[in-house]
Amino acid sequence: MKIIEIRPLPGPNIYCYRPVVRLKIDLADYTEVSTKEIPHFVEKLLHYIPSLKDHHCSRRKPGGFVERLYEGTYLGHVIEHVALELQYLAGSDVVYGKTVRAERPGLYYIITEYESKKGAIQALCSAVGLVQSLLENKNPDLANEINRIKDLAAQDRLGPSTAAIAREALKRGIPVMRLGEESILQLGYGKYQQRIEATITSRTKCIGVDIAGNKVLVKHLLAEAGIPVPWGEVAGTEEEALEIAGRIGGPVVIKPFNGNQGKGISLNLKSRQEIKRAFQLAYSLSSKVIVEQFIEGKHYRLVVVEDKVVAAAERIPAFVVGDGRHSIKQLVDMVNMDPLRGEGHEKPLTKIKIDPVVLLALGKRGLSPDSVPPEGQIVYLRENANISTGGIAVDVTGQVHPDTMETVLRAVRLIGLDVAGVDLVIRAIDHPLTSENGAIIEINAAPGIRMHHYPVQGEPRNVAAAIVETLFPPGSKARIPIISVTGTNGKTTVTRMISHILRGTGLVVGKTTSDGIYINEKRIVSGDTTGPRSAQVVLRDPSVEAAVLETARGGILRSGLGYDYSDVGIITNISNDHLGIEGIETLEDMAYAKAVVAEAVHENGFAVLNADDPYVVQIAGLIKSGVIYFSTASDNIIVRRHLGVGGTAVFVKNGSLVVARGAKTKKVLPIKRIPCTFAGVAQHNVQNTLAAVAGCIALGTDMEHIRRGLLSFTSDENYNPGRFNMFEIGGFRVVVDYGHNEAGYINTLQTIKKLKPKRIIGVVGMPGDRKNEDIIQVGKIVAKYCHRIIIKEDSHLRGRKVGEVAEMMRKAVLEAGTSEEKVEIVLSELPAVERGLSIAQARDVVAVFYEKLEPVLNLLREARQKMPQQVEADDRRMVCPNTF
């Protein structure tokens, strides 16, 4: 067996709405070998992973997968289940898996859901290795593989605070986007977004964080305001620390100047030796060390969110309870076996580690890790009570005295934080905070909230929910309208048209197209930007108020969608293009892939479907949202049935574009008045207009804005570059179009023919990654419509040899009946266009099917300047009069 490729699909995809990883594998000699044909394979597999017995598989009951194993199933299916179980055993709660055949016999796609991308990739690799080991009668090291998966999963897992906030946002329907690989999240889209990192939010002021990080300054500000704090100073040397301790004149605390999570803190230090050891520990973490008065009392953490105390917990240091038999080290190991304890922040509690701070705390009591405490004796392992060092929390929110709450709120206001963790040491939490009762020890930016969500005693406090509700109060918006457009042809034009109409309403529109990313018609990124990353660029822009996203097949198959769901999903049509690539072999496959755009529409949104296309109509059965159909015919049976049940449709009736809801019909515009349709001659742009209008209707756009947008949108290089752009050069015309498949060529050449030119001169080519039969078919189409043919080739050959595609087209054109003297090959695009221009005569049309638009447009602009227009008045019949 050989792994060919592993690819994560983080967005909604053709397999699942949740993130998945897809492994492509060649099973080679095991392609047709089932599990029942491999001696002892099932028994060995269940011996190493007995929990596979719980898998339901298609039987929908525990043990269903085991039944399949004994009956005989193929190894791709086995690898799928093993990968899922390895993820589960490593701590990920995943259930979805699928195995499907790929392009040829022996190749399979194995798909599994994931929480951790790195962990899932390793799980698939480990699953393949484990199955291979069993086939070779080797003993796999399951524990090692699970640990590898755990370690990798920990690398890309969100921190506990960030993850809690993300969960609360998703509960409220607020989209969550991870920015990079760290624990920085964007909540919401476009202009409504907020960002968080742990509990630092978009509203957290940098100056507040800086002040909170300066522990000396914090104490100074609080002391000036009459808030009790421990007195102390900063030491740079051991001698200075001893001098400060002497001035304090009692037990002291030593901690790093800029420490966090309780690291390097030593409490209740009385002897010179203790102070020296504590200083060295703190100094190893910071060149400045704080020496301050030790405050007697219990340790508490209060969390403030937007001037409200939302949680309070008593923090109890890590401890063990003696049993008279086991050493402290052994007791720690026993405590760490608690499934609620994990490494770092992965679980509600953190495993206890015996480190220098623990050794110092034990030493002060005359103990060591090898000491055996008597039964019932509680041995505190640290004096600071941080959860991140193994401590536990007890909720006391309802016990905090109101005066203490007000003092804490006043302290946080002085520092200037929207979210803060306030550490108190206080004798009685239900009494006011005074200097006799305790003190505020620290105020922390980005406080951890794990202890409040998972106290060992008391009521859990949902601090994450409080933070999310502060960022997005009830009734506020988190989303911008998203319109996603897919289909074989027309995507770019429909995207541009909708964007143009929405801009006319005053919205700042972000759009992705095959020629770039635009924010309010300013192109910020050039190139084919129809994939999920480009969509996310738009959704991350804080100025964007609506997103119109051209969504191509390639991005869907490679990574899924770049958003969670849209308000409108449009499918223009399904026709022959890109077949034989990425496992898409038939038009049914293509429809299935593009259906993701319609399926990923919010239940209150609309899928816009082409009622004239049978492959698109079939998609309606997969959709959970509303549906709006469009059609060029008022008597389309799908439209009539849809209107009969009160649905909405956009179609052409008596020469006008109309919108109908049930029995009510409203006229939008006569087709002849819509410029991009060339007075109705460009039938493909009539379809594109219908789709665009349906998309705007789905959004609730005002009809007058729709009319204005249609009247001002022209099919030229300014509004719709590269899509049936017409240039007048001398006495002939040039049409530039991105036709790159059969339907695209037919649409363009049929439209040109309707304009009744003297001759059509085709400058044609096809991408090298298309099937031979598709290239040949386009050659036949060109031969049918064109009087002279110049065949060029894309600069990006896509795996073909130089001249291969051009020669294939030439043969197809000749076989279709075109004489040799009317066909020539000019491989480079610009010389091919120049050749077409050079043989053009008055009333000819040169049809240029380009690869790279800008160089072609520049060449035509130069040619237009050199050759003045010589179009006679009676030749104007070639062109739509209200456009030219």
Side-chain angles (χ1 to χ4, degrees):
M1 295 186 291
K2 180 181 178 182
I3 294 174
I4 307 298
E5 177 190 63
I6 300 181
R7 176 179 291 170
L9 284 76
N13 53 77
I14 63 173
Y15 307 108
C16 184
Y17 292 145
R18 300 183 296 278
V20 299
V21 170
R22 187 182 74 184
L23 176 141
K24 186 176 184 180
I25 189 170
D26 186 346
L27 293 180
D29 294 340
Y30 293 99
T31 297
E32 299 298 331
V33 178
S34 75
T35 50
K36 72 176 181 179
E37 299 174 82
I38 307 170
H40 310 300
F41 177 83
V42 175
E43 291 78 8
K44 288 188 289 185
L45 178 65
L46 296 177
H47 169 75
Y48 282 103
I49 315 179
S51 49
L52 286 173
K53 295 175 183 178
D54 297 328
H55 284 214
H56 293 206
C57 199
S58 58
R59 303 293 165 85
R60 299 183 179 181
K61 62 178 183 178
F65 177 59
V66 173
E67 290 179 4
R68 295 286 306 277
L69 286 171
Y70 281 111
E71 292 168 0
T73 188
Y74 293 113
L75 294 184
H77 185 209
V78 175
I79 292 168
E80 169 204 325
H81 278 267
V82 171
L84 284 170
E85 188 61 22
L86 290 178
Q87 286 191 74
Y88 180 78
L89 294 173
S92 292
D93 186 14
V94 293
V95 295
Y96 175 81
K98 188 180 184 72
T99 301
V100 296
R101 294 182 184 273
E103 298 86 52
R104 62 172 176 80
L107 289 184
Y108 285 85
Y109 290 124
I110 300 172
I111 301 100
T112 66
E113 179 188 359
Y114 73 82
E115 290 182 343
S116 161
K117 179 173 63 178
K118 291 180 180 178
I121 290 172
Q122 181 58 52
L124 280 163
C125 293
S126 296
V128 172
L130 188 146
V131 169
Q132 187 73 53
S133 294
L134 295 181
L135 293 171
E136 296 172 358
N137 292 315
K138 296 178 181 178
N139 297 322
D141 188 345
L142 185 66
N144 182 59
E145 294 303 318
I146 292 172
N147 286 332
R148 288 176 67 187
I149 296 166
K150 277 185 177 180
D151 291 344
L152 286 166
Q155 292 177 18
D156 65 359
R157 182 183 291 114
L158 292 174
S161 298
T162 310
I165 292 171
R167 285 192 296 270
E168 289 302 319
L170 292 171
K171 283 181 187 177
R172 291 160 174 76
I174 298 169
V176 176
M177 296 171 67
R178 191 169 186 170
L179 305 181
E181 297 297 321
E182 306 301 322
S183 284
I184 302 176
L185 302 182
Q186 175 181 315
L187 311 181
Y189 290 147
K191 71 174 291 185
Y192 299 116
Q193 67 180 273
Q194 298 284 345
R195 294 180 178 182
I196 63 150
E197 181 178 17
T199 54
I200 291 179
T201 78
S202 299
R203 300 180 181 180
T204 303
K205 297 176 182 177
C206 180
I207 189 67
V209 175
D210 285 347
I211 292 172
N214 188 330
K215 302 180 189 301
V216 174
L217 177 58
V218 168
K219 288 200 297 181
H220 175 73
L221 293 173
L222 299 188
E224 277 190 337
I227 296 173
V229 294
W231 184 85
E233 297 181 45
V234 177
T237 66
E238 193 176 277
E239 290 73 20
E240 289 177 352
L242 290 167
E243 290 175 6
I244 296 168
R247 288 196 291 272
I248 292 173
V252 297
V253 173
I254 290 182
K255 57 187 175 182
F257 182 84
N258 54 357
N260 57 50
Q261 297 182 343
K263 296 174 183 175
I265 298 178
S266 303
L267 285 73
N268 197 16
L269 306 171
K270 299 174 181 177
S271 70
R272 291 175 60 87
Q273 189 62 31
E274 289 174 350
I275 292 169
K276 287 180 179 182
R277 289 176 61 188
F279 176 85
Q280 292 302 325
L281 178 62
Y283 191 74
S284 69
L285 300 173
S286 173
S287 61
K288 294 181 181 180
V289 173
I290 295 175
V291 183
E292 66 184 21
Q293 174 188 7
F294 173 71
I295 304 295
E296 289 280 355
K298 295 180 178 180
H299 294 247
Y300 296 91
R301 163 65 65 86
L302 275 63
V303 175
V304 174
V305 178
E306 286 291 351
D307 210 35
K308 181 180 179 182
V309 175
V310 298
E314 180 186 354
R315 301 193 296 178
I316 299 172
F319 67 91
V320 293
V321 180
D323 62 3
R325 300 190 308 275
H326 295 93
S327 68
I328 290 174
K329 183 179 183 304
Q330 291 171 326
L331 292 170
V332 166
D333 291 338
M334 292 163 64
V335 169
N336 285 340
M337 291 175 66
D338 183 346
L340 293 177
R341 289 190 183 269
E343 298 295 336
H345 299 289
E346 68 173 346
K347 293 187 176 180
L349 299 173
T350 299
K351 288 185 176 181
I352 301 169
K353 287 183 168 50
I354 296 177
D355 59 12
V357 174
V358 171
L359 296 176
L360 179 61
L362 291 175
K364 289 167 63 176
R365 298 175 177 83
L367 299 172
S368 76
D370 296 323
S371 300
V372 178
E375 185 174 356
Q377 180 181 343
I378 296 176
V379 179
Y380 289 100
L381 304 173
R382 314 178 83 91
E383 290 171 317
N384 67 306
N386 291 73
I387 306 302
S388 58
T389 55
I392 61 173
V394 175
D395 179 70
V396 296
T397 306
Q399 302 174 31
V400 182
H401 194 279
D403 288 353
T404 299
M405 283 194 181
E406 182 51 43
T407 301
V408 165
L409 293 176
R410 188 158 62 91
V412 172
R413 290 186 209 119
L414 285 168
I415 305 308
L417 291 171
D418 61 328
V419 180
V422 181
D423 292 338
L424 303 177
V425 174
I426 192 168
R427 291 178 176 84
I429 193 67
D430 56 352
H431 286 63
L433 175 61
T434 63
S435 56
E436 291 77 24
N437 191 30
I440 290 180
I441 306 302
E442 288 183 359
I443 296 181
N444 301 279
I449 59 178
R450 184 171 49 142
M451 72 178 83
H452 306 291
H453 282 246
Y454 304 103
V456 296
Q457 293 180 34
E459 182 181 345
R461 304 291 172 170
N462 198 335
V463 179
I467 292 173
V468 172
E469 288 170 4
T470 296
L471 297 174
F472 299 94
S476 64
K477 293 182 178 181
R479 295 178 174 272
I480 59 174
I482 297 176
I483 305 94
S484 186
V485 185
T486 195
T488 303
N489 293 305
K491 300 185 295 293
T492 302
T493 297
V494 172
T495 298
R496 289 168 173 166
M497 195 178 296
I498 293 174
S499 175
H500 178 74
I501 292 170
L502 295 183
R503 281 200 68 211
T505 69
L507 293 174
V508 175
V509 179
K511 70 179 177 186
T512 61
T513 70
S514 55
D515 76 322
I517 302 173
Y518 293 78
I519 306 296
N520 249 17
E521 293 308 315
K522 179 177 176 59
R523 184 161 60 182
I524 61 170
V525 176
S526 298
D528 187 346
T529 58
T530 56
R533 290 184 180 178
S534 301
Q536 290 172 357
V537 169
V538 168
L539 298 175
R540 284 196 293 263
D541 192 300
S543 69
V544 171
E545 297 173 310
V548 188
L549 310 173
E550 181 178 348
T551 306
R553 165 210 60 88
I556 294 172
L557 294 174
R558 286 190 292 270
S559 300
L561 301 176
Y563 53 87
D564 54 351
Y565 59 79
S566 66
D567 300 277
V568 181
I570 300 175
I571 303 184
T572 59
N573 46 64
I574 303 292
S575 64
N576 185 7
D577 195 16
H578 296 285
L579 296 184
I581 302 173
E582 295 274 0
I584 303 299
E585 301 296 331
T586 66
L587 290 179
E588 288 82 2
D589 292 342
M590 184 68 75
Y592 181 74
K594 292 183 180 290
V596 174
V597 167
E599 293 178 81
V601 174
H602 190 271
E603 60 183 6
N604 295 327
F606 288 92
V608 173
L609 305 180
N610 185 346
D612 298 331
D613 189 318
Y615 291 103
V616 176
V617 170
Q618 291 176 5
I619 292 170
L622 304 172
I623 294 168
K624 298 177 182 178
S625 67
V627 174
I628 298 178
Y629 284 108
F630 67 91
S631 171
T632 56
S634 60
D635 61 349
N636 179 290
I637 188 62
I638 301 298
V639 168
R640 290 174 62 185
R641 288 173 179 169
H642 189 59
L643 294 176
V645 294
T648 301
V650 181
F651 51 90
V652 178
K653 183 177 183 180
N654 299 327
S656 290
L657 189 155
V658 300
V659 176
R661 290 186 177 91
K664 296 182 179 179
T665 301
K666 181 178 290 187
K667 179 178 175 181
V668 181
L669 279 172
I671 293 295
K672 289 187 176 182
R673 288 191 60 199
I674 301 173
C676 73
T677 70
F678 293 86
V681 172
Q683 192 66 13
H684 62 289
N685 268 353
V686 173
Q687 292 181 336
N688 292 335
T689 302
L690 291 166
V693 170
C696 291
I697 291 294
L699 273 187
T701 308
D702 177 76
M703 189 65 73
E704 189 55 38
H705 283 116
I706 293 174
R707 291 192 183 100
R708 290 176 185 172
L710 296 180
L711 291 171
S712 57
F713 184 86
T714 52
S715 189
D716 58 24
E717 59 188 293
N718 296 315
Y719 287 95
N720 200 18
R723 301 304 188 271
F724 208 88
N725 301 158
M726 187 175 288
F727 295 81
E728 296 183 10
I729 300 177
F732 60 87
R733 292 174 174 82
V734 180
V735 170
V736 178
D737 195 86
Y738 187 55
H740 55 286
N741 53 47
E742 296 171 32
Y745 267 86
I746 290 172
N747 289 337
T748 299
L749 293 173
Q750 278 186 348
T751 301
I752 293 173
K753 185 178 180 180
K754 290 176 184 177
L755 297 175
K756 298 180 179 179
K758 184 178 179 180
R759 296 185 306 169
I760 300 176
I761 300 169
V763 181
V764 302
M766 277 286 282
D769 59 354
R770 301 317 196 258
K771 290 182 175 180
N772 289 356
E773 53 264 39
D774 296 339
I775 295 171
I776 291 168
Q777 185 59 33
V778 167
K780 293 177 180 179
I781 293 167
V782 169
K784 178 180 177 180
Y785 289 96
C786 295
H787 303 84
R788 290 290 301 272
I789 301 168
I790 296 96
I791 302 174
K792 63 183 182 63
E793 216 166 51
D794 287 359
S795 59
H796 181 14
L797 297 175
R798 306 190 190 205
R800 299 276 188 173
K801 296 177 182 178
V802 174
E804 182 183 350
V805 172
E807 181 59 26
M808 197 181 304
M809 287 194 75
R810 189 185 77 87
K811 288 180 179 179
V813 167
L814 294 177
E815 289 174 3
T818 303
S819 58
E820 287 199 29
E821 68 272 11
K822 293 182 179 179
V823 183
E824 54 189 294
I825 292 177
V826 181
L827 290 180
S828 297
E829 184 161 83
L830 293 185
V833 175
E834 288 174 336
R835 176 58 179 158
L837 299 182
S838 72
I839 62 176
Q841 301 171 3
R843 295 184 58 199
D844 286 347
V845 171
V846 180
V848 178
F849 295 88
Y850 67 90
E851 177 196 13
K852 297 181 179 179
L853 179 61
E854 282 304 318
V856 170
L857 292 181
N858 289 335
L859 187 153
L860 295 178
R861 292 181 189 117
E862 292 173 6
R864 187 163 52 183
Q865 290 176 353
K866 294 176 183 177
M867 303 171 66
Q869 297 181 19
Q870 299 174 3
V871 183
E872 298 177 6
D874 60 343
D875 291 332
R876 294 278 180 179
R877 64 179 179 275
M878 290 174 55
V879 190
C880 173
N882 68 335
T883 305
F884 297 95

